[in-house]
Amino acid sequence: MYFCSIYKRIMAAKIRIKDIALRAAVSVGTVDRVLHNRPNVSKVAREKVEQALKEMDYQPNMYASALAYNKSYTFYLLIPQHEFEAYWEEIEEGAKRAIEIRRDFYLELKIFNYERSDEQSFLQVAAKCIEQQPDGVIVVPSTLEVTRQFTDQLHEQKIPFVMLDSYMPDLNPLSFFGQDSFRSGYFSARVLMLIANKEKEIAIMKRIKGGKVSTKQQANREVGFRHYMYDHFPEINILEMEVPMAATRKEYDEIIEHFFELHPEVHHCITFGSKAHIVGDYLLRKNRRDIQIMGYDMVEKNAKCLQQGSISFLIAQHAYQQGYSCIETLFRAIVLKKKVEPVNYMPIELLAKENMDFYRRTQL
């Protein structure tokens, strides 16, 4: 049976359009139109071709068809501005690597950067993207309503888009890559309480602009975190340390110092973004060994604090793989005309001082 199956696949790969036309008793042109789902084929002729395809166990070579078509495709990546931040850099590197691997298909990647805390910046970049009529888009979203203004235009113009980092199902993306933020927050609480279960108070550090955190993902992580705490440690008081999105080191130091002076019983802190090093760096410079913070993402400054003990744990999420997979999904959907998975949750990985050196991006 095994060798029979292999033989059938080999023979199916050698089937020509001419062979199908002879089997179905129709013209070569009719077969071509059916295979490419083009109009002007009668119901009878279509049924004959489809029956012949079934009898011959025909499997189309989508890669060969796409190469023969000789069309170029431009994908756009809308991503926050960043300077030496490993998370966003690795997303870009993963996307570029996927483009390089598929270079025979004439793929091109263009990267647009916007200021994540500035909704107008996102809209300006989105408008430029629409003007250039991309074949597909990867978008790290702004707020829901602002992002909707962009994605509604993409839907109107039938431009497929993949969402990265923050999932907004109401916007109907082709696909999503990122963590399940609620589960991630729930998991982070469980891990934190392995070392903080005897505490009376713990703190959440929030970077705030306009009275709220910058991303839906961070907000959902906090919801998951609080659900775990409510279920398992309702007696522990959860405090909030609010710091501005943009501040100097001196300003951060003053806020952090004032908070810990007011709350001397707080020894554990968590943040749901990649800036745990704001507190971690303060603790190292002040030689505070009685307090630790937990956070997200293996950015360089976080790694230093994790190594030196001011950050207890980091949760990582394979940024390189996310960037790569987004391009691969657009390629499969747009170029190969294949179905893709609508939701793709990334691993929730826990990093500590002892295993951080073994964490590497996935080279795909």
Side-chain angles (χ1 to χ4, degrees):
M1 290 293 293
Y2 174 74
F3 290 105
C4 180
S5 176
I6 292 177
Y7 176 76
K8 286 179 70 177
R9 289 200 296 269
I10 291 173
M11 293 307 295
K14 293 181 178 179
I15 295 173
R16 303 168 299 173
I17 290 181
K18 181 179 179 180
D19 300 324
I20 302 168
L22 288 171
R23 182 70 169 255
V26 299
S27 70
V28 169
T30 297
V31 174
D32 183 74
R33 286 192 290 275
V34 171
L35 289 176
H36 294 92
N37 198 27
R38 295 185 182 125
N40 301 322
V41 180
S42 70
K43 181 180 179 181
V44 173
R46 185 177 294 278
E47 288 175 351
K48 285 183 178 180
V49 173
E50 289 174 348
Q51 181 61 32
L53 294 174
K54 183 178 180 181
E55 293 173 356
M56 300 171 79
D57 193 25
Y58 176 76
Q59 299 294 327
N61 188 335
M62 301 302 293
Y63 283 85
S65 297
L67 283 169
Y69 194 45
N70 203 32
K71 182 184 184 306
S72 62
Y73 302 87
T74 303
F75 299 151
Y76 282 61
L77 171 60
L78 273 66
I79 193 169
Q81 292 176 358
H82 56 89
E83 186 175 354
F84 309 118
E85 281 199 55
Y87 178 71
W88 300 120
E89 284 184 346
E90 289 199 7
I91 284 175
E92 288 188 5
E93 289 174 15
K96 290 175 182 176
R97 177 58 178 161
I99 291 290
E100 180 184 345
I101 287 177
R102 303 297 187 188
R103 58 184 176 274
D104 289 346
F105 292 87
Y106 308 103
L107 304 186
E108 181 182 4
L109 175 66
K110 293 188 177 181
I111 300 175
F112 284 171
N113 297 113
Y114 66 91
E115 175 54 53
R116 191 162 198 180
S117 60
D118 184 348
E119 294 180 351
Q120 286 304 311
S121 174
F122 178 87
L123 290 173
Q124 289 168 5
V125 168
K128 290 180 182 178
C129 178
I130 291 289
E131 285 175 6
Q132 298 189 30
Q133 289 294 291
D135 295 289
V137 176
I138 303 164
V139 55
V140 178
S142 178
T143 62
L144 175 61
E145 290 310 314
V146 168
T147 307
R148 190 193 302 276
Q149 294 179 46
F150 176 46
T151 58
D152 281 353
Q153 293 181 71
L154 294 175
H155 282 302
E156 288 172 7
Q157 300 188 31
K158 301 188 185 307
I159 300 172
F161 66 94
V162 173
M163 301 204 79
L164 176 63
D165 190 58
S166 295
Y167 186 30
M168 298 177 178
D170 290 349
L171 304 185
N172 297 314
L174 171 70
S175 188
F176 163 74
F177 286 88
Q179 285 187 344
D180 181 324
S181 51
F182 178 89
R183 286 191 184 184
S184 177
Y186 197 91
F187 173 77
S188 70
R190 184 176 182 182
V191 170
L192 181 62
M193 298 318 293
L194 292 175
I195 58 175
N197 57 79
K198 303 298 183 183
E199 300 295 316
K200 296 179 180 179
E201 297 180 327
I202 59 173
I204 298 175
M205 185 197 84
K206 293 184 175 183
R207 296 179 71 231
I208 299 294
K209 182 178 181 181
K212 58 184 179 181
V213 295
S214 61
T215 69
K216 184 173 182 285
Q217 182 191 53
Q218 290 183 40
N220 285 344
R221 287 171 179 169
E222 182 178 342
V223 172
F225 179 89
R226 288 185 180 274
H227 266 263
Y228 180 90
M229 296 301 295
Y230 179 83
D231 290 342
H232 300 280
F233 293 92
E235 74 282 2
I236 293 182
N237 188 26
I238 301 175
L239 304 170
E240 294 187 2
M241 179 200 307
E242 293 188 356
V243 299
M245 287 291 294
T248 65
R249 174 188 280 189
K250 181 180 178 182
E251 289 169 335
Y252 281 136
D253 282 358
E254 289 173 352
I255 294 170
I256 296 168
E257 186 170 358
H258 179 67
F259 179 87
F260 287 123
E261 284 178 354
L262 286 178
H263 306 286
E265 292 193 12
V266 173
H267 303 103
H268 294 278
C269 184
I270 188 168
T271 186
F272 301 110
S274 61
K275 301 294 185 179
H277 59 80
I278 291 175
V279 173
D281 178 64
Y282 166 85
L283 297 173
L284 290 176
R285 287 184 286 105
K286 300 297 182 179
N287 198 29
R288 293 289 303 267
R289 300 295 176 180
D290 59 325
I291 302 170
Q292 290 181 318
I293 185 169
M294 178 178 174
Y296 280 74
D297 300 326
M298 186 64 127
V299 301
E300 184 178 354
K301 292 179 180 179
N302 282 348
K304 174 186 172 184
C305 294
L306 184 64
Q307 181 67 46
Q308 297 187 35
S310 61
I311 290 181
S312 54
F313 297 106
L314 289 172
I315 294 178
Q317 49 186 330
H318 283 296
Y320 183 90
Q321 185 178 343
Q322 289 183 55
Y324 185 100
S325 298
C326 286
I327 292 292
E328 181 69 9
T329 294
L330 288 178
F331 169 75
R332 290 177 61 81
I334 297 170
V335 182
L336 300 186
K337 314 297 184 187
K338 292 192 174 185
K339 291 184 179 180
V340 296
E341 287 295 323
V343 180
N344 303 271
Y345 287 126
M346 306 304 295
I348 301 172
E349 297 197 334
L350 185 66
L351 301 180
K353 177 180 179 180
E354 292 75 18
N355 71 338
M356 61 178 286
D357 290 339
F358 306 111
Y359 177 76
R360 297 288 184 270
R361 71 185 186 192
T362 303
Q363 293 284 2
L364 298 169

